[in-house]
Structure formats: structure tokens, C-alpha cells
Amino acid sequence: MNVGHFPPPKRLGLIIHSIIIGVLTIIAILGFINLTRADVGPAFLISLLIALVSFTPIPFFIYRAYSLLNADYHLDRDSLAIKWGLRVEDIPLTDIEFIRSSDDLTTPLPLPSLPIPGGLLGMRRHSDLGAVEFLASDSKKLLLVATAKRVFVISPEDSAGLAQTFARATELGS
């Protein structure tokens, strides 16, 4: 059985997400502490706003870190499974038109909004490819996985190995 396990690079993304979560948590805690000490007035309102604004994005970044921690690309003789957080895309090999590096494009691929290392997630439009969905962690190792319905952008640690395993799996058939 021709099986390939190709996880994305995770270390840098987890470090950056942990730092963001830590900084936001410290700011939120300090804001809530100042909130309990302040009299009703401008200082109270400023402490409340600081605490709420810094606390609100924490669950978002925690989920992104969790998604990266559990992210995986698994290629076998029948399908390519893209796992990112609670989402799993199982693409049959017969539906994949090509797997190529993003460097092969004539028009550069625009990165999604909020392109934090470890979390290149979201949809973008490309002039040649149409709708492109990012499920990647590293902007330097992007691979395009094209199907008839959409194009996925992934970033396995071993991009060449995934492309090679895909070529062997398609030669062998399902």
C-alpha cells in the first residue's frame, strides 16, 4: 500500500500563536484587574474597553493554534485527506487534476487576509485559478491541489515528497 503522511510545518506557527494568546491574555487580565479598582468614570470605561477588546480574539487564536496542532495531509492510493482543525477534506485521487508548486504560476498567488505563519486560512480569488482555498501554514512551501470544483493550497513540510507520492499513486491506480 502506497501511503504518505505529510504534516505541515508547525513549530513557528505554534510559537507565534502562543505569543499572541499570551500577550492578549495578559492585557485582558490587567484590564479586568484595573476594572475592579477603578471608580465609575473614564478610567472604568477605558479599562473595560481594553479588557473586552483584548479578550475577544483569544478564542479565535486558540482555535487556530488547535487547528495547526492537529493539521495533517495524508495521501494514500485512493485519496488525499486534508485535516485542519475540526475540518476534514477527503479528495479522491481521481478528482485531483494536478498538484503543483505555487511558484509555477505566472501571476503570484495572493495570500489570505491575516497571513500569520501557521495559519494561512481562507478563500482568495486568482485570475487564472478562480476561487482558491488556503489550508496551509507556511507561505514558502505552498502546493496547489486542483479539483474540478476548487483549488486547495496546502503546505506540507516535504512538498516534493507529496508530489512524488501523488505521481506514484496515480500511476498505480486505486
Side-chain angles (χ1 to χ4, degrees):
M1 184 96 164
N2 194 5
V3 175
H5 173 71
F6 302 93
K10 299 178 182 181
R11 186 170 53 167
L12 179 62
L14 288 174
I15 290 170
I16 290 173
H17 280 79
S18 298
I19 289 170
I20 291 171
I21 292 166
V23 167
L24 289 173
T25 302
I26 290 170
I27 293 170
I29 289 171
L30 292 175
F32 283 121
I33 289 172
N34 286 339
L35 184 64
T36 61
R37 295 181 181 167
D39 293 330
V40 176
F44 181 83
L45 183 60
I46 290 171
S47 295
L48 178 64
L49 288 174
I50 289 172
L52 291 178
V53 167
S54 61
F55 180 75
T56 304
I58 291 174
F60 170 76
F61 285 107
I62 288 174
Y63 179 71
R64 284 175 69 115
Y66 167 79
S67 297
L68 178 60
L69 187 63
N70 293 318
D72 192 18
Y73 311 119
H74 188 78
L75 181 67
D76 61 24
R77 285 184 62 177
D78 297 322
S79 67
L80 170 64
I82 302 171
K83 182 180 178 192
W84 202 275
L86 299 175
R87 180 176 178 193
V88 176
E89 287 286 337
D90 196 22
I91 307 167
L93 288 188
T94 56
D95 290 353
I96 296 176
E97 295 175 359
F98 64 81
I99 294 181
R100 286 193 190 123
S101 172
S102 66
D103 297 335
D104 296 344
L105 296 173
T106 56
T107 306
L109 189 64
L111 294 178
S113 55
L114 196 64
I116 298 173
L120 298 174
L121 306 170
M123 298 281 289
R124 292 299 299 240
R125 294 219 36 93
H126 187 268
S127 59
D128 299 332
L129 302 171
V132 176
E133 183 171 3
F134 283 82
L135 294 168
S137 67
D138 188 357
S139 62
K140 294 176 186 78
K141 299 181 179 188
L142 298 178
L143 279 182
L144 304 169
V145 179
T147 66
K149 296 179 183 174
R150 71 171 47 161
V151 176
F152 293 96
V153 180
I154 62 175
S155 63
E157 185 80 51
D158 182 13
S159 300
L162 187 137
Q164 205 171 38
T165 303
F166 172 72
R168 277 187 300 201
T170 53
E171 287 172 2
L172 292 173
S174 57

